[in-house]
Amino acid sequence: ETGVTQSPTHLIKTRGQQVTLRCSSQSGHNTVSWYQQALGQGPQFIFQYYREEENGRGNFPPRFSGLQFPNYSSELNVNALELDDSALYLCASSLPGASVDTQYFGPGTRLTVL
Amino acid sequence: QKEVEQDPGPLSVPEGAIVSLNCTYSNSAFQYFMWYRQYSRKGPELLMYTYSSGNKEDGRFTAQVDKSSKYISLFIRDSQPSDSATYLCAIGTTDSWGKLQFGAGTQVVVTP
């Protein structure tokens, strides 16, 4: 177990809806990164939050947004869902400056958009 | 052009064979190199990481990095059916901590 949990495990939405995915980081980890993994592809970096501020974004539109809370839990929000948003969404918590093997991924949330 | 290229496979090998996986990358700024294993519908699990060129061994796994060629490899000796999974290479820089660039993943099937 990595100590990183995500909820829900899976969900189904329809095009145009909004969705919120949640991640609980490992205790003490003040950085969380979110990734989108489409079927048959590697994870793609969406954005990272460090101490509750966005700290870098990948090539994703503004309808992907996030929040990080003081207790190191975080959310990924996606508005106006599109069919191509169907994917496994992964969060990874880490502590900057620590060894790279202390970045842990959660089990992911599988989102299906119909 | 993607920053990290990885052959998606699938790669099918008999039990006991050596599995050889490769990735190439385009940006010489990358500083650390990782291999993840991902079972179906699960999150990635870190197998190995290294910061430097050369070989790093951990049990049946060997990670190899050639920074001059921008080429990284993972070898699995004495492969087992339980090694059947998707293997992802990932690279990053200390300036962009936690913002990894992943390859597409190679699906490996080890047959008994």
Side-chain angles (χ1 to χ4, degrees), chain A residues 1-6 23-29 91 93 104-107:
Chain A
E1 295 298 323
T2 65
V4 180
T5 59
Q6 292 188 243
C23 172
S24 178
S25 297
Q26 183 166 66
S27 178
H29 281 192
C91 70
S93 75
Y104 301 114
F105 279 86

Side-chain angles (χ1 to χ4, degrees), chain A residues 33 35 37 41-43 45 48 55 94-96 98-101 103 105-107 110, chain B residues 2 32 34 36 38 41-44 46 49 51 88 97-100 102-105:
Chain A
S33 304
Y35 293 82
Q37 186 177 20
Q41 299 295 317
F45 174 73
Q48 182 183 87
N55 182 42
S94 61
L95 192 60
S99 175
V100 297
D101 63 341
Q103 175 170 263
F105 279 86
R110 184 161 298 280
Chain B
K2 292 183 180 180
Y32 59 88
M34 308 163 84
Y36 285 85
Q38 187 175 29
R41 297 180 176 271
K42 302 291 187 183
L46 180 65
Y49 70 96
Y51 288 91
L88 297 155
W97 182 258
K99 303 165 190 170
L100 299 175
F102 280 88

